[in-house]
Amino acid sequence: MKPVKYRVVAESQPVQISGIPVIERPREKIQKRGASVLTDRELIAAIIGKGVHGHSVLSVATVVEEQLNRDYPELNYSTLAKIPGIGHVKACQLLACFELARRYIEEEPVRIQRPEDVLPLLPDLREEKQEHFISITMNGAGEMVKVRTITVGLLNQSQIHPREAFADAITDRAASVIFVHNHPSGSLLPSEQDRAVTRQLVEAGKILGIAVLDHLIISKKGFLSMKEQGLI
């Protein structure tokens, strides 16, 4: 089965800000939920503020994001200023933001893009004698915010209530979360209880606006991704 890669899929047609519900607009999302929940494109849109005739702010932000992915950290004023809808003022705004962020970066963020990226974060989990249920919260850029143990003991729906499972994700203002638990027995097959818990958490995440990207099972024999198995 082809491995999954976690990513935010861009829209095929750029959307005008006026066509987006107020609560989902970039600057309103920052006000209500904090900047960490925004995708890269939304952060760029929040910085440049508005588009120009024929180019919505989100379509301009999409082009800037693509340029960043190609050229960062060599991206310069001349390249940015040539992008339709950017020009002198917005190019300066973007470069000022990039430089300020660079000066305050303390360490390289941990990006989680596929199931294998989770394993180094939990090196001892496969050796645990009891089941541990863990949440990994992430921001809008797919960067890890925090790894936390939610419960220790038998995994069941009464223990893994969405209230407890998502409490830290809400505190972290997370955009998404990955859940992980171990099977001390060594089996990697998801039980019916595992499936039921996963379905419950996915539905709760939809209501909260926090995407459940995956639920991993880890044992001495390896790991299983419910996303790869089509269970999410």
Side-chain angles (χ1 to χ4, degrees):
M1 186 170 292
K2 186 178 180 180
V4 296
K5 182 176 180 179
Y6 307 133
R7 61 190 179 91
V8 177
V9 180
E11 296 142 358
S12 57
Q13 294 293 329
V15 180
Q16 297 285 344
I17 284 291
S18 60
I20 301 175
V22 172
I23 195 172
E24 289 300 317
R25 296 176 187 176
R27 290 184 175 178
E28 282 74 8
K29 286 176 75 172
I30 291 174
Q31 180 183 2
K32 298 295 184 182
R33 299 175 61 191
S36 65
V37 306
L38 273 65
T39 63
D40 292 354
R41 184 180 69 151
E42 290 174 324
L43 288 170
I44 294 167
I47 294 169
I48 62 181
K50 60 181 180 180
V52 294
H53 181 70
H55 301 280
S56 73
V57 65
L58 289 176
S59 65
V60 174
T62 298
V63 177
V64 174
E65 181 184 18
E66 292 170 351
Q67 201 75 49
L68 272 170
N69 289 333
R70 284 195 299 266
D71 298 338
Y72 188 82
E74 286 76 28
L75 189 61
N76 56 35
Y77 169 86
S78 297
T79 302
L80 281 173
K82 291 176 183 176
I83 295 174
I86 294 296
H88 168 72
V89 173
K90 292 174 182 176
C92 291
Q93 289 174 332
L94 286 165
L95 290 172
C97 289
F98 299 160
E99 178 59 20
L100 185 63
R102 186 192 65 78
R103 295 180 186 184
Y104 281 86
I105 290 174
E106 295 180 358
E107 59 183 25
E108 189 72 19
V110 175
R111 285 185 176 271
I112 301 176
Q113 297 180 299
R114 52 185 60 84
E116 291 82 356
D117 297 337
V118 173
L119 303 182
L121 305 177
L122 304 165
D124 301 323
L125 185 59
R126 66 184 61 207
E127 303 297 332
E128 294 289 350
K129 304 302 182 184
Q130 288 183 289
E131 286 196 6
H132 288 59
F133 186 79
I134 293 167
S135 72
I136 302 173
T137 55
M138 293 184 292
N139 62 24
E143 298 165 350
M144 184 193 75
V145 178
K146 197 79 173 179
V147 177
R148 295 183 178 90
T149 299
I150 306 300
T151 65
V152 177
L154 185 64
L155 178 64
N156 60 60
Q157 284 177 281
S158 62
Q159 280 189 319
I160 312 301
H161 191 280
R163 180 176 55 251
E164 284 72 38
F166 285 95
D168 293 318
I170 294 170
T171 299
D172 292 343
R173 298 180 180 271
S176 57
V177 63
I178 293 174
F179 293 113
V180 185
H181 80 277
N182 62 311
H183 278 181
S185 66
S187 171
L188 288 175
L189 292 176
S191 66
E192 185 51 47
Q193 194 69 55
D194 294 337
R195 294 168 185 256
V197 167
T198 301
R199 289 193 295 266
Q200 184 182 45
L201 293 175
V202 169
E203 290 304 312
K206 290 177 181 178
I207 294 171
L208 294 169
I210 301 174
V212 177
L213 295 185
D214 209 340
H215 183 177
L216 301 182
I217 297 174
I218 293 178
S219 80
K220 292 181 180 180
K221 295 181 181 179
F223 75 93
L224 176 138
S225 160
M226 292 200 184
K227 179 72 172 180
E228 287 184 342
Q229 296 296 313
L231 300 176
I232 292 180

